[in-house]
Amino acid sequence: MQPLRSNRRNFLINSAVCTLGTLLPLTAPAGIPHSRTPNDEALFTIGPVKGYTPQIGTLVSMLNYNRYTVIQAVQKLNREQIDFLFDPHANTIAALVMHLGATETFYQINTFEGRQEFNAEEKKLWEAPMELGDKGRKEIKGNDIGYYLDLIAAVRSKTLAAFKEKDDAWLMAVDPKWSKPDRPLNTYWKWFHVCEHESNHRGQIAFLKSRLPGSKPSSE
C-alpha cells in the first residue's frame, strides 16, 4: 500500500504546482502597476512578514495571496465583460471587485477607528458596492477594470500601513460589542473574515467568467 499512498501524494503535489503555475505567474502581470499587486517575494509562503508583528504578518501573507488571485482573475477582462449581468438577480464582476474594497474599508473603520458604520463621505463611494443588489446593479458600471483595481489597491495600502502600527495583542483583542457571552469575537477573526470573504467572491467571479458570452467551458 505504501507505493499507492506515495503516488497519490505526488499526484496531489504535482496537480497543485501545475494549477498554481497556470493561475499565478511569479512576477507582476504585465500592464498592472505594482501598486495594485502584493509583493510576490513570498507569495507561496504563509507566515510572518517583515515589518509586521508575527501574527499580523501571517495575516498579511494570506491577504496578499488572495488579492493576487483576484487580480489574476479579472485583469484581462474588458468593460463589457465586467459589466455583464448573468441574470436579474446576479452581481457583475465589477460590482464584486468593488464590494471587496467596500468590505475592507468597513473593517478598517471598525478595527482602526472603532466606528460601526460609514460616514456620509464614505457612503458616497462605498454604500452601493457594500449593499450590492439593485443598488449595485444600477450604480456600478461603465468603468474599466483598472478603475476598480486601483480603488481596492488604495484601500489595501491603507490597511497595510495601519497594520504596521499595530501589534499581536491588538489583533487578538476581543471586541465586547461584537461578542456574545458564550462566543467571544476578536480582531483577528474580523480580518480573517476579510481574507475568506475575498476568496469567496473570487469563486463567484470565476463562475461569472465561465458564463460570459463566448466563454469556453470553465476548468475551475
Side-chain angles (χ1 to χ4, degrees), residues 4-206:
L4 179 60
R5 288 197 296 269
S6 178
N7 288 340
R8 176 172 175 77
R9 182 174 64 251
N10 290 337
F11 170 76
L12 291 173
I13 292 172
N14 290 335
S15 296
V17 170
C18 290
T19 300
L20 290 171
T22 301
L23 178 64
L24 297 170
L26 296 180
T27 56
I32 299 294
H34 284 276
S35 61
R36 294 182 191 161
T37 60
N39 186 344
D40 64 0
E41 180 180 342
L43 189 61
F44 300 101
T45 302
I46 299 300
V49 174
K50 184 178 179 181
Y52 304 93
T53 55
Q55 290 293 335
I56 291 180
T58 299
L59 174 65
V60 167
S61 70
M62 292 187 283
L63 288 168
N64 283 347
Y65 179 82
N66 270 349
R67 177 53 54 85
Y68 210 98
T69 65
V70 170
I71 293 170
Q72 277 296 103
V74 304
Q75 63 172 327
K76 295 182 180 179
L77 300 180
N78 60 37
R79 188 179 301 182
E80 183 177 281
Q81 290 172 321
I82 64 174
D83 285 348
F84 172 73
L85 193 62
F86 178 61
D87 64 41
H89 301 288
N91 296 300
T92 65
I93 291 173
L96 290 175
V97 174
M98 192 76 166
H99 180 65
L100 301 181
T103 301
E104 186 168 345
T105 298
F106 171 76
Y107 280 95
Q108 285 177 353
I109 66 170
N110 179 258
T111 62
F112 300 145
E113 303 178 33
R115 291 193 278 129
Q116 303 297 324
E117 58 184 36
F118 293 136
N119 60 33
E121 188 64 26
E122 290 160 345
K123 284 182 178 180
K124 293 177 183 178
L125 180 61
W126 298 119
E127 186 173 48
M130 192 62 159
E131 292 183 7
L132 294 176
D134 290 337
K135 191 174 183 65
R137 284 185 284 271
K138 180 180 179 180
E139 297 184 19
I140 306 171
K141 62 179 68 175
N143 296 295
D144 293 331
I145 190 60
Y147 169 81
Y148 303 107
L149 291 178
D150 285 344
L151 276 175
I152 66 171
V155 172
R156 178 57 51 85
S157 292
K158 184 176 180 180
T159 295
L160 297 180
F163 277 162
K164 289 185 176 181
E165 304 300 319
K166 302 296 183 180
D167 59 22
D168 288 351
W170 168 84
L171 190 67
M172 297 298 182
V174 171
D175 182 349
K177 290 185 178 180
W178 285 36
S179 297
K180 295 181 179 179
D182 60 342
R183 191 206 64 189
L185 188 155
N186 66 0
T187 306
Y188 206 153
W189 179 89
K190 293 181 182 183
W191 282 99
F192 173 75
H193 176 62
V194 173
C195 189
E196 66 166 349
H197 174 266
E198 191 147 324
S199 180
N200 174 62
H201 285 302
R202 195 196 74 81
Q204 292 181 318
I205 288 168

